[in-house]
Amino acid sequence: MIVMKFGGSSLANGERIRCVVDLVKPELPRKPVLVVSAMGDTTDHLLEAADMALKTGTVSVERIAELHKNTIRELALDMSAITPLLAELQVLLVGISLVKELTGKTRDYLVSFGERLSARMVAAYGQSMGVKAQAVDAWDGGFVSDSRFTAAELIPESWATIPEKLMPLIKGGIVPVLTGFIAKDREGAITTLGRGGSDLSATMVAAACQAEEVQVWKDVDGILTADPRIVQDARPVEAVTYEEAAELAYFGAQVLHPRAMQPCMKTKTPVWVKNSYNPGAPGTRIVAEREKMGPVLGITSRTQVTLVDIVSTRMLGQPGFLTELFADFAQYGISVDMVATSEVSVSVTLDASYNLEPLKKDLSRIAEVEIKTGKAIVTLIGDVNRSSEILHQAFGVCAALGIPVQMVSSGASKVNISFIVNDTQRAEVVQGLHKHFFGVYAS
Ligand code: ASP
Ligand code: MG
């Protein structure tokens, strides 16, 4: 069997759903399981509808209902595939508007409608085209998670329950159309795996059912050497390892969910990232080991980063100082991304969304703390055996551009060299690096 995952943009409208079924048909002999995201930007629209219900008391499912109903009409399907869900959604939004409360639990229940609607539409259209498709909600497909609403993790027993539920369908000649992104906890409450989580659903199905491969269908030609919005001539990478793909995802390349590689890494299931808008393109292969390529594989970056400089002479030779320091971060629920230390200072980076004032106040008892906002992390994913060469060249590029590098981290990971620049200079740095490592003159 194989797993074919289709993201929101691959399911944006009736025309795109037709293309999806066209992609699935030739694969039928390989027994595909389909994993689908919500259509287009439905997840965002659901969250906006909830926000509106909460803040203004207005209940509006219009935008979501319209997209799905139009698509049903376009594909000449029966409205009954989605009307019960739309009605339930309406009731939920009324509930939110009355209670004026939106917990993580309710939020997850709410956004689950996106995937549940799209799975039903894709299955119904598949059936109308002669494919024995069947919509399967994640919980009926064996997906059990913990109860961390909005960012739940699948619990280990899913490895057994998923094949238990899905294999009989597959063996019966059915093509399951599984809702990505969602699950239920042990108490039966709906959870979600974090934004972009349907990638993880797909790799989990594949790993748990020992699939031959996973195809992740997106709207770009694979994993690219850089963000095409920043670098015009970014191009697809032929092959990356699971670790490289995870690093690329984590540090800003919006191709894959950061945790999506974990299941397939365990089972060494190959993952293909392909473009449903350009299916002829080879795409990117994600595997355990790849052939040697240039020193740098891809450049990614992340904006809205805050740099925190912590200076204290107490650090000098004092065991336990870092423990004390990071315990403070933990206490405020602040997750740290990069760390660099010297004898008397520690610099860390974190997401700009945290309120750091309480932490700063707390830390001031042991150190001087300076918070610098408006930073970006630029990350080179490459061959760390060649890190001297990469660092030399990358800093050469920054120097030539007159852009100071403010913090560096390299070597902790096998594949990642990251440094901090001002957010305003991010694009220029990424473009300069791309030109250097991937331009016509690059070797
Ligand atoms: N629909 C969800 C989201 O937009 C999950 C996904 O697309 O993977 O985040
Ligand atoms: Mg989506």
Side-chain angles (χ1 to χ4, degrees):
M1 60 155 301
I2 61 166
V3 174
M4 302 177 80
K5 185 254 160 173
F6 296 95
S9 59
S10 299
L11 301 164
N13 51 46
E15 179 52 32
R16 298 314 310 163
I17 293 179
R18 273 199 201 103
C19 291
V20 162
V21 174
D22 286 344
L23 289 170
V24 170
K25 277 192 150 175
E27 298 283 28
L28 288 175
R30 300 173 80 192
K31 300 190 193 307
V33 172
L34 312 191
V35 176
V36 296
S37 293
M39 286 182 72
D41 295 325
T42 299
T43 308
D44 291 324
H45 295 165
L46 283 162
L47 289 168
E48 282 160 27
D51 226 40
M52 201 157 93
L54 189 68
K55 291 191 181 133
T56 69
T58 318
V59 172
S60 166
V61 287
E62 275 326 294
R63 196 160 39 157
I64 296 150
E66 206 177 305
L67 170 69
H68 289 84
K69 284 181 177 168
N70 285 344
T71 308
I72 288 268
R73 279 186 215 110
E74 207 182 322
L75 297 175
L77 302 173
D78 200 305
M79 224 33 105
S80 65
I82 61 164
T83 33
L85 280 177
L86 288 174
E88 190 184 335
L89 172 61
Q90 169 93 20
V91 173
L92 175 60
L93 284 169
V94 170
I96 293 169
S97 76
L98 292 175
V99 185
K100 294 193 174 49
E101 189 179 82
L102 185 62
T103 59
K105 189 174 179 177
T106 310
R107 187 185 289 261
D108 279 355
Y109 172 29
L110 175 95
V111 292
S112 76
F113 283 92
E115 271 69 12
R116 288 151 81 195
L117 285 163
S118 70
R120 279 157 182 79
M121 309 247 295
V122 171
Y125 181 64
Q127 285 161 15
S128 78
M129 298 306 288
V131 177
K132 273 180 79 183
Q134 181 184 319
V136 179
D137 288 327
W139 42 88
D140 294 326
F143 277 73
V144 190
S145 78
D146 61 23
S147 306
R148 271 187 282 164
F149 297 104
T150 74
E153 297 219 28
L154 297 172
I155 59 175
E157 70 187 65
S158 298
W159 283 87
T161 48
I162 291 170
E164 216 172 272
K165 300 277 188 185
L166 292 181
M167 289 319 283
L169 296 177
I170 299 164
K171 284 186 181 139
I174 287 168
V175 176
V177 183
L178 192 76
T179 57
F181 180 48
I182 58 181
K184 270 186 182 172
D185 68 8
R186 280 212 183 86
E187 278 71 52
I190 297 177
T191 60
T192 64
L193 308 176
R195 293 305 304 269
S198 46
D199 289 334
L200 177 60
S201 309
T203 53
M204 185 63 195
V205 174
C209 296
Q210 298 175 356
E212 207 180 304
E213 70 179 33
V214 189
Q215 302 169 3
V216 178
W217 291 88
K218 306 244 160 202
D219 58 357
V220 283
D221 279 347
I223 294 181
L224 305 182
T225 49
D227 184 336
R229 288 165 301 187
I230 300 176
V231 178
Q232 252 179 14
D233 54 351
R235 56 170 187 259
V237 183
E238 208 177 299
V240 299
T241 64
Y242 299 115
E243 288 86 359
E244 289 161 347
E247 291 282 346
L248 281 163
Y250 189 68
F251 284 97
Q254 302 254 304
V255 239
L256 289 167
H257 185 277
R259 279 186 283 126
M261 287 308 115
Q262 288 172 5
C264 286
M265 208 185 278
K266 277 196 191 130
T267 52
K268 295 202 163 67
T269 313
V271 180
W272 284 92
V273 181
K274 301 266 290 175
N275 188 354
S276 72
Y277 289 73
N278 184 18
T284 299
R285 190 165 38 93
I286 309 174
V287 281
E289 269 171 64
R290 63 169 172 84
E291 50 285 1
K292 283 248 170 298
M293 286 189 264
V296 172
L297 194 80
I299 303 162
T300 91
S301 61
R302 186 132 69 111
T303 58
Q304 308 209 353
V305 170
T306 295
L307 179 62
V308 182
D309 267 332
I310 301 147
V311 182
S312 169
T313 44
R314 270 189 53 196
M315 238 177 265
L316 261 175
Q318 200 206 59
F321 184 86
L322 288 180
T323 313
E324 202 178 328
L325 187 70
F326 286 117
D328 269 335
F329 280 87
Q331 191 198 326
Y332 290 101
I334 295 170
S335 154
V336 166
D337 292 325
M338 279 169 62
V339 184
T341 68
S342 78
E343 274 298 293
V344 293
S345 73
V346 181
S347 304
V348 305
T349 70
L350 27 90
D351 201 274
S353 60
Y354 293 115
N355 170 18
L356 296 175
E357 282 314 313
L359 173 76
K360 184 177 175 182
K361 222 170 140 197
D362 229 17
L363 286 179
S364 59
R365 68 178 204 281
I366 53 170
E368 260 168 60
V369 180
E370 201 183 334
I371 295 171
K372 299 171 182 167
T373 56
K375 305 294 171 190
I377 301 181
V378 175
T379 300
L380 296 159
I381 305 296
D383 183 349
V384 170
N385 292 320
R386 294 168 74 176
S387 61
S388 315
E389 184 188 337
I390 299 170
L391 283 165
H392 171 74
Q393 293 185 27
F395 290 165
V397 169
C398 293
L401 292 170
I403 292 174
V405 169
Q406 297 167 42
M407 175 178 161
V408 188
S409 147
S410 160
S413 147
K414 284 190 289 190
V415 292
N416 169 328
I417 292 171
S418 295
F419 55 89
I420 300 289
V421 295
N422 282 340
D423 221 341
T424 50
Q425 295 166 323
R426 168 182 83 128
E428 203 185 339
V429 172
V430 172
Q431 285 156 358
L433 290 170
H434 195 272
K435 189 163 172 211
H436 179 84
F437 287 107
F438 299 101
V440 264
Y441 303 111
S443 56

